[in-house]
Amino acid sequence: MRYRTIGILLGLMLAAAASYWGLRVYTPEIPSDPGRPGRAIASLEPIILGGDRQWLLIRGHDRGAPIVLFLHGGPGMPMMYLAYAFQRPLENDFLVVQWDRRGAGKSYHAGIDPAEMRLSQEIADTISLIGDLRARFGAGKIILVGHSYGSTLGILVAQRRPDLIRAYVGVGQEACDRATELGLQDRWIADEAHLHDDADAAALASSGRPYDREPWLFRYGGEIAGASSFLHLVAIGLRAPEYSLLDAYHVKTGVDFTHSHLKNDIFRGALINVVSSLDVPVYFLEGRRDYTVPFACAEAFFDRIRAPQKQFVWFDRSAHFPFLEEPAKFREVLNRVATDTASNP
């Protein structure tokens, strides 16, 4: 399944690195800003959501800045281990929250009830967390960013609780059913294989038989433009200060556990056929080379969905991870979102 190979190898390599470098887990302090004395926060902390202990990373130069909550993909593949590599500039403008959801990364533990691994529970956990963050920081509505599978969760939360959401931002937005995604991937892999004179890949993509598409998506830049394997993500994760040896191992464990037990108990079929409108501003941020969640599906979804305002933003040098691949533009777009929605705080 998507990200399974990444999760296994990332977990093993992070574990080896943590064992070598030690077990200290921390998030670096944010230096005092003379213009905002005493306003910064850099906190790695647990929270109880739906009866389960989960982990948050909260960072920003100003506790009163607009809150941006990231919902990671996978499912079960955390974003917290990548955060230090792209979000430091965002912390000047926003209060940035990374969250390892139930069963993922730092939040994995052996006592999780598999019966609680449901999309409905994830929605409830997200709504609860947003409420806690707003109360704690005296904040208004938040900017909700959903990446990959997290974009399914995010758009369903925005649909149910528009009163909590200043804007919804989908990155690598899911829309189509899995069969449609696989068909788009196969056609693209076959085209790329012919361009690269790769007979093996062309034969696999045209065979109609099941095969692991992930290595080919990476090889041809459909996961990360300019990176030909998962080792790029592994190299980033090796330097994450927020992860201990056990947390690193749980990248793998959490992906396996989540893929085995997470149930979609909310809808059947394609998300594009389930959500036709949102009562919040909508932004889709898509990499031109994204075939992990093929961008054609997001385009069709964007054209169909109704919202008070909406914008589709292309990242021309990105595939599935625009925030990592083009972080300066990602920051620029999020600041535009904040400016556009200033009347919806």
Side-chain angles (χ1 to χ4, degrees):
M1 297 180 75
R2 192 179 297 159
Y3 299 130
R4 182 177 296 274
T5 303
I6 302 173
I8 292 171
L9 289 162
L10 178 65
L12 292 174
M13 295 185 73
L14 278 173
S19 179
Y20 178 77
W21 284 318
L23 298 177
R24 184 180 176 219
V25 179
Y26 71 103
T27 194
E29 291 186 9
I30 294 176
S32 180
D33 185 339
R36 295 177 284 188
R39 298 290 291 171
I41 181 173
S43 178
L44 182 64
E45 61 188 63
I47 186 174
I48 302 298
L49 296 169
D52 183 66
R53 188 171 186 257
Q54 301 172 39
W55 281 87
L56 303 177
L57 175 63
I58 305 173
R59 295 182 55 87
H61 286 257
D62 189 342
R63 295 166 183 259
I67 295 174
V68 173
L69 172 60
F70 281 87
L71 301 178
H72 64 73
M77 177 56 72
M79 193 187 296
M80 192 184 295
Y81 75 99
L82 301 174
Y84 78 92
F86 75 87
Q87 78 168 40
R88 293 292 183 261
L90 293 177
E91 295 164 9
N92 285 290
D93 312 314
F94 302 100
L95 190 62
V96 184
V97 182
Q98 298 286 351
W99 167 34
D100 281 8
R101 294 196 301 275
R102 185 182 301 254
K106 290 180 72 70
S107 296
Y108 176 83
H109 58 87
I112 300 174
D113 182 357
E116 296 301 313
M117 298 297 294
R118 309 184 312 274
L119 179 53
S120 60
Q121 183 62 59
E122 288 194 313
I123 292 171
D125 287 349
T126 307
I127 292 170
S128 178
L129 174 58
I130 293 171
D132 289 347
L133 292 171
R134 294 179 70 206
R136 175 176 175 180
F137 294 104
K141 300 175 183 179
I142 72 155
I143 297 172
L144 188 62
V145 180
H147 175 237
S148 197
Y149 167 76
S151 69
T152 291
L153 173 59
I155 214 162
L156 292 173
V157 170
Q159 182 188 49
R160 285 157 173 74
R161 293 300 305 269
D163 57 306
L164 302 178
I165 309 301
R166 176 169 172 168
Y168 169 71
V169 181
V171 184
Q173 178 66 51
E174 291 194 334
C176 298
D177 59 72
R178 189 62 178 143
T180 301
E181 287 186 347
L182 294 178
L184 290 168
Q185 288 176 350
D186 285 341
R187 287 194 289 276
W188 180 75
I189 290 170
D191 289 344
E192 290 293 312
H194 287 301
L195 286 174
H196 291 84
D197 293 322
D198 197 331
D200 290 341
L204 281 172
S206 304
S207 68
R209 299 191 304 271
Y211 71 103
D212 186 0
R213 295 164 177 83
E214 195 167 70
W216 304 105
L217 290 170
F218 269 111
R219 177 175 295 188
Y220 300 138
E223 287 258 11
I224 302 175
S228 60
S229 81
F230 56 83
L231 292 176
H232 180 75
L233 292 178
V234 171
I236 294 172
L238 286 172
R239 299 188 294 273
E242 289 85 9
Y243 271 56
S244 70
L245 171 61
L246 188 61
D247 299 330
Y249 177 74
H250 284 162
V251 172
K252 169 193 180 300
T253 312
V255 168
D256 290 345
F257 177 81
T258 304
H259 281 197
S260 296
H261 298 291
L262 185 63
K263 301 294 190 298
N264 182 348
D265 59 343
I266 297 296
F267 67 93
R268 296 188 179 187
L271 187 65
I272 191 172
N273 297 324
V274 174
V275 179
S276 59
S277 65
L278 291 178
D279 293 327
V280 302
V282 172
Y283 296 78
F284 283 4
L285 281 51
E286 295 294 320
R288 286 276 187 188
R289 291 188 61 82
D290 189 355
Y291 279 90
T292 303
V293 177
F295 61 77
C297 292
E299 285 185 291
F301 196 8
F302 181 83
D303 289 342
R304 186 178 303 186
I305 198 166
R306 300 187 303 276
Q309 62 190 80
K310 61 180 187 176
Q311 187 172 352
F312 195 103
V313 182
W314 284 111
F315 283 70
D316 292 328
R317 299 191 302 276
S318 296
H320 194 49
F321 294 83
F323 46 86
L324 270 179
E325 299 168 274
E326 297 180 66
K329 181 172 182 177
F330 188 80
R331 179 188 183 188
E332 174 191 325
V333 172
L334 276 194
N335 273 290
R336 187 192 315 160
V337 170
T339 299
D340 290 349
T341 60
S343 61
N344 186 37

